[in-house]
Amino acid sequence: MSAFGGDPAGRYLDIVVRLLPAARHEWGCAMRAELATIDRSAERWHFALGCTRAALLQTVKAQRAWRPVGVAAAVGLVLAGEIALSSMIGQIIPGVLVLILLVWLGGRPGFFGPVRAERAAQVVRVSGYTLMGLGLLILAVGDSTAKFLQPGPKPPMFVFLLTLYAGVFLATTTGRAGFGGPGLGAGTCAGLVAGLASFVVMPFERIGPPLAAGLPWHGSWLALVIIGAPAAAAVWTTGRTGRGDQGIMAALCAGAFAALLVALLGLSAIALFPDRIPDIVGPVMVPGTSAAQRQAADATEAADPYIGLLLFGALLAVILWVMARPPSRVGVRSVLLALVGIPPVALGLSARHFPGATGLAVATAMVVLIALAMAGRDPVAFR
């Protein structure tokens, strides 16, 4: 019997081989040669269909290797669309649409979902949705802050950072992520404590007296709380899980959550209490400037530290995602940690007028170095 095209099974396999990519052509020729040694029609069809199945499985495996690239491209496309749409119609509608998209993706198997069946992961995920929604709502209703969400030539920083936060909250609470419930719970609680303490000791709306001015010793002892809460979360998580990488992720979670909380509290104060905004730009304003223009400029200046903290926390969240992402090659994780660890350290060092910026930069650098030292240990997926 002819090896090629002598019967339906031979012609069928010949078509399959012609459709194979060039890298698989030699394998296809070997399969056609082996088919030539089979005489019975039923066995020839069985062999031809088996070759088809093997070819399809190899194609699927090859496509899986490109899945991370496809996910990255899709995320980049969504963010690019969000930025472009925000520059035309403002940040509120794109922010709401992206939040709806994240909620939908969070319920489907993939990079953002579904959530793990444990309380800590579910609470953190719901918190991510809630904080993003509240952030958009608070800024939208405040006369002094609504301009931050209006269309314009500047990048839509606020909604972009909130989207990044929400995406990390989802990615680190899936069943594939390597950040467990003990670290999530400890990091979130520590972030709540450190965030409240940080907001109290910071100059209120940039130049106003801090809220801690009326506390004993002007609240200077709260610095121990700000530093100690993330450290305590790291130590407790390490002892509970027996894994140092879980402790590092708990500290990163605490830092990111604290920065987000301070930023939202500060921006909320500007939005809800515009009469409490101090006169920051008065000495440098041109004579004759209207009161509305001065108040808008003061609101912008007062919001700067909180926007900076929002950016810093988002960068910490990215480091957390790199550590918690599904196991990959050690070299890849080390390179990613080195790349994403530089921006928050550089931001902290550059913010010379921000209280405690140098300490934040040093602490972040230490965490990144420890994370790099632990990069050889693959995180455990918590189901």
Side-chain angles (χ1 to χ4, degrees):
M1 188 173 291
S2 172
F4 311 108
D7 69 331
R11 289 192 293 271
Y12 167 78
L13 185 59
D14 189 34
I15 295 173
V16 171
V17 171
R18 292 178 184 275
L19 294 175
L20 290 174
R24 301 285 295 167
H25 183 70
E26 185 177 351
W27 175 83
C29 292
M31 293 302 99
R32 288 195 301 187
E34 187 170 347
L35 179 65
T37 64
I38 302 175
D39 295 327
R40 296 180 59 183
S41 177
E43 293 179 358
R44 289 173 64 83
W45 271 112
H46 181 76
F47 180 81
L49 293 175
C51 292
T52 305
R53 177 178 176 275
L56 290 174
L57 289 176
Q58 289 294 329
T59 303
V60 170
K61 290 179 180 179
Q63 290 177 349
R64 286 177 180 173
W66 287 92
R67 181 174 296 177
V69 178
V71 171
V75 171
L77 183 62
V78 170
L79 292 178
E82 183 181 35
I83 293 173
L85 195 60
S86 297
S87 65
M88 293 185 292
I89 64 173
Q91 302 182 43
I92 297 177
I93 294 178
V96 172
L97 292 177
V98 170
L99 180 59
I100 294 173
L101 175 63
L102 288 174
V103 172
W104 179 73
L105 291 175
R108 299 175 59 85
F111 186 77
F112 294 112
V115 65
R116 294 198 301 271
E118 61 180 9
R119 181 65 59 85
Q122 295 170 354
V123 169
V124 170
R125 176 164 290 202
V126 173
S127 298
Y129 296 144
T130 304
L131 290 174
M132 184 176 180
L134 284 178
L136 291 172
L137 177 63
I138 290 171
L139 289 189
V141 300
D143 293 335
S144 300
T145 54
K147 62 186 181 62
F148 297 150
L149 303 179
Q150 293 175 356
K154 294 183 178 181
M157 181 66 71
F158 187 78
V159 72
F160 175 79
L161 293 178
L162 284 183
T163 300
L164 184 59
Y165 261 111
V168 172
F169 282 147
L170 265 65
T172 54
T173 53
T174 64
R176 300 171 65 243
F179 189 23
L184 271 172
T188 302
C189 292
L192 177 63
V193 173
L196 291 174
S198 300
F199 181 71
V200 170
V201 301
M202 281 181 59
F204 185 69
E205 297 183 355
R206 190 165 185 171
I207 65 171
L211 300 178
L215 297 177
W217 299 289
H218 300 285
S220 57
W221 50 273
L222 287 173
L224 298 177
V225 177
I226 298 171
I227 298 173
V235 171
W236 183 85
T237 303
T238 300
R240 177 68 181 273
T241 63
R243 293 181 62 92
D245 57 339
Q246 296 294 309
I248 292 297
M249 285 189 278
L252 288 168
C253 178
F257 193 87
L260 175 61
L261 183 61
V262 174
L264 291 182
L265 287 175
L267 293 171
S268 299
I270 296 173
L272 301 178
F273 306 103
D275 56 319
R276 299 292 302 276
I277 301 175
D279 186 10
I280 303 174
V281 301
V284 297
M285 293 295 287
V286 178
T289 304
S290 66
Q293 290 175 326
R294 291 182 59 173
Q295 185 179 33
D298 285 333
T300 300
E301 293 295 326
D304 278 350
Y306 303 119
I307 297 295
L309 268 178
L310 193 66
L311 174 59
F312 180 78
L315 295 174
L316 293 184
V318 172
I319 301 176
L320 172 62
W321 168 76
V322 171
M323 290 197 67
R325 62 194 297 268
S328 62
R329 296 180 180 178
V330 176
V332 174
R333 182 176 293 118
S334 299
V335 171
L336 287 176
L337 282 174
L339 290 176
V340 301
I342 293 175
V345 175
L347 179 62
L349 292 176
S350 65
R352 298 178 180 178
H353 300 292
F354 186 85
T358 302
L360 288 175
V362 172
T364 304
M366 292 177 60
V367 169
V368 172
L369 290 175
I370 296 173
L372 283 170
M374 295 181 176
R377 297 188 64 184
D378 286 331
V380 178
F382 289 82
R383 302 291 179 183

